[in-house]
């Protein structure tokens, strides 16, 4: 019955099954927060997986690892239309809207990996 309730609550690629405070803590504790001017998004070979977002740092909101103008390439969980990614805590960005976005805010750990799928598509830097 619990599985049925979880499946019913899942509304598509952006659905996540962790409480909001978990994601809030990930954003709060991220070593670096940068805004990326997106130049290219490379989708995964499968219907879902990791999109590679390539661009330059438009703004540094937290941390000293990145500098404005620096080239960056990060991986963001993404899913194509009709994909059925596994249920869990991953927030799957829709590939088509991710590819159209010009800017994104990335919450990164010390190794430069996106923390708990915390990547926001932005319309302006």
């Amino acid at each position: 019955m619990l599985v049925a309730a979880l499946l019913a609550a899942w509304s598509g690629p952006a659905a996540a099954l962790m409480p909001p405070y978990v994601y809030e803590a990930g954003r709060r504790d991220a070593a670096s927060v940068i805004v990326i001017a997106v130049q290219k998004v490379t989708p995964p070979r499968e219907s879902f997986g990791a999109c590679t977002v390539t661009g330059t740092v438009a703004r540094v909101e937290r941390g000293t690892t990145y500098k404005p103008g620096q080239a960056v390439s990060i991986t963001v969980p993404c899913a194509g239309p009709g994909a059925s990614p596994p249920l869990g805590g991953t927030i799957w960005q829709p590939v088509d809207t991710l590819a159209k976005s010009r800017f994104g805010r990335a919450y990164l750990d010390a190794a430069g990996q996106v923390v708990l799928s915390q990547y926001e598509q932005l319309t302006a830097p």
Side-chain angles (χ1 to χ4, degrees):
M1 213 161 127
L2 176 61
V3 172
L6 291 174
L7 287 172
W10 186 63
S11 62
L17 297 175
M18 286 198 284
Y21 68 84
V22 173
Y23 300 107
E24 290 167 8
R27 289 189 300 272
R28 182 187 62 241
D29 298 338
S32 298
V33 180
I34 59 173
V35 173
I36 299 170
V38 178
Q39 295 168 337
K40 181 180 177 185
V41 174
T42 306
R45 294 181 191 261
E46 303 297 324
S47 62
F48 65 91
C51 281
T52 301
V53 176
T54 305
T56 58
V57 176
R59 186 173 68 242
V60 176
E61 296 180 348
R62 182 184 312 149
T64 58
T65 303
Y66 300 92
K67 304 290 181 223
Q70 178 180 346
V72 293
S73 184
I74 62 170
T75 57
V76 176
C78 62
S84 297
L87 293 176
T90 301
I91 298 172
W92 301 95
Q93 301 279 336
V95 172
D96 53 349
T97 58
L98 187 61
K100 291 176 188 173
S101 68
R102 300 293 34 125
F103 298 95
R105 178 177 290 115
Y107 295 83
L108 306 171
D109 64 16
Q113 299 299 309
V114 174
V115 175
L116 295 173
S117 314
Q118 296 303 290
Y119 179 87
E120 300 172 53
Q121 297 176 42
L122 303 173
T123 57

